[in-house]
Amino acid sequence: MARIIAGIGSSHVPAIGAAIDNGKTEEPYWKRVFSGFEKSQAWMRETKPDVAIIVYNDHASAFSVDMIPTFALGCAAEFPPADEGWGPRPVPVVQGYPALASHIAQSVILDEFDLTICNKMEVDHGMTVPMNLLFGNVDKNSHWPCPVIPLAVNVVMYPPPTGHRCFMLGRAIRKAVASYPEDIKVVIFGTGGLSHQISGPRAGLINSKWDKAFLDNLSKDPQKLVKIPHVDYMREAGAEGIEMVMWLIMRGALDEKVDEVYRFYTVPASNTAVGHIILANRARGAKAPPRKHKPAAAKHKRAAARAKTDRIRS
Ligand SMILES: [Fe+2]
């Protein structure tokens, strides 16, 4: 059976992609950001997922403002990088996983989540920047280390989905993956954020206290995050901080209790707080060790004592 083994949260700041593409990763400003992902890349090389589900948002690249799906699942065999105004990023074409993607589409739609199915879609920095951060700088003529199922979420035009809806979609994805017969390891990314606002009087807003509390709760008490209304994200984390609801899809797809493998936080990158976390499911498909059955032993002792009493009476 397929199983989700871990969730990864990562910001997707476009300037990070530009730093990679223009060879600036060793400059002190950017090295501070990229060095925070070195351990994560080693973890990813060791973990070797068979497929990654990447929850991200499109920035009017694949979908214009003429047509905005709330949730759009990529079921194609490949996803070329989009031209975001400076030509497509020099990264490999993303290979899809149509069989599992179609299975997820069927499962979650029958579970009453009305996804848009995309059989042709380009992907922008919202997806390829987190891929670079976790998989490293991959030559454009080479291949990403595993196929990817993109899940685009509308967080660019009101109304985005609620945090609760995102979390419940994660739960439905988890159920879908668990019912897929192939024995494969799946990781799921939640991307975007953390706090930032790119325009208006509050441009440049960063709220580290909010971000750190979000990461703490994501790890230990996600139900607290599920209740947060949009207006709180907007007020506390900035207009673009609403991207953080996408992390709740990732968290909903994991077990209730997870192990926090790694966390990294730095400000700023461009005008955005960069957050990153890796959360691993504890079971990983293995059976839990047998428990000592103290109550059963006591029950057995009581039954033996009763039998002895009966023998004395008879
Ligand atoms: Fe964004």
Side-chain angles (χ1 to χ4, degrees):
M1 287 301 201
R3 62 202 188 281
I4 293 178
I5 56 167
I8 296 135
S10 171
S11 299
H12 68 213
V13 189
I16 293 177
I20 295 169
D21 302 344
N22 296 308
K24 295 182 176 175
T25 55
E26 290 302 313
E27 291 182 3
Y29 180 90
W30 288 111
K31 196 159 179 53
R32 169 178 54 86
V33 174
F34 290 108
S35 62
F37 288 83
E38 285 167 4
K39 283 185 182 166
S40 315
Q41 290 182 15
W43 176 87
M44 193 62 93
R45 282 193 297 274
E46 197 180 307
T47 303
K48 293 189 181 62
D50 295 300
V51 58
I53 299 168
I54 301 188
V55 182
Y56 77 107
N57 73 285
D58 178 74
H59 301 75
S61 304
F63 312 111
S64 74
V65 289
D66 291 344
M67 203 178 294
I68 305 175
T70 300
F71 299 116
L73 189 72
C75 296
E78 58 180 37
F79 306 94
D83 183 346
E84 299 180 59
W86 298 271
R89 287 197 62 215
V91 292
V93 168
V94 177
Q95 300 302 309
Y97 205 113
L100 177 56
S102 301
H103 174 83
I104 292 172
Q106 176 174 312
S107 181
V108 303
I109 289 171
L110 294 180
D111 268 342
E112 302 176 352
F113 287 89
D114 307 316
L115 300 187
T116 299
I117 294 169
C118 298
N119 292 319
K120 187 177 180 189
M121 183 165 72
E122 294 184 343
V123 291
D124 67 14
H125 73 273
M127 197 170 95
T128 59
V129 164
M131 289 178 72
N132 277 132
L133 289 171
L134 272 294
F135 296 131
N137 192 1
V138 183
D139 184 86
K140 147 182 201 194
N141 299 312
S142 180
H143 299 283
W144 295 107
C146 70
V148 168
I149 298 173
L151 173 59
V153 180
N154 169 39
V155 289
V156 297
M157 184 168 275
Y158 193 82
T162 63
H164 179 255
R165 185 70 171 159
C166 287
F167 190 83
M168 295 311 289
L169 177 59
R171 285 258 171 94
I173 290 171
R174 171 186 163 172
K175 182 180 159 194
V177 170
S179 65
Y180 186 68
E182 205 179 345
D183 185 20
I184 52 172
K185 291 187 292 185
V186 180
V187 293
I188 180 164
F189 286 51
T191 66
L194 294 180
S195 59
H196 65 300
Q197 176 147 338
I198 56 176
S199 59
R202 297 200 307 161
L205 176 146
I206 285 177
N207 185 345
S208 297
K209 196 175 165 198
W210 161 277
D211 291 338
K212 286 175 183 172
F214 184 89
L215 292 172
D216 287 345
N217 285 326
L218 195 77
S219 183
K220 300 272 187 297
D221 194 0
Q223 289 303 327
K224 274 191 186 157
L225 303 178
V226 166
K227 296 171 194 158
I228 297 174
H230 288 147
V231 68
D232 286 14
Y233 284 100
M234 303 286 279
R235 185 180 58 243
E236 300 294 334
E240 281 72 31
I242 193 64
E243 290 176 348
M244 294 160 85
V245 294
M246 294 187 288
W247 293 44
L248 296 180
I249 297 179
M250 173 271 279
R251 187 62 183 89
L254 301 180
D255 292 348
E256 197 180 323
K257 291 197 187 312
V258 293
D259 291 323
E260 184 174 324
V261 175
Y262 180 64
R263 185 193 296 203
F264 173 64
Y265 182 82
T266 188
V267 290
S270 184
N271 55 0
T272 306
V274 170
H276 169 46
I277 201 164
I278 299 177
L279 301 171
N281 276 343
R282 291 177 179 172
R284 295 190 169 221
K287 281 186 181 169
R291 288 169 57 194
K292 287 181 182 171
H293 293 293
K294 270 187 181 170
K299 196 173 158 191
H300 178 73
K301 211 172 170 182
R302 281 198 301 276
R306 260 200 316 275
K308 195 176 171 188
T309 310
D310 290 346
R311 275 201 303 276
I312 291 167
R313 282 179 187 154
S314 61

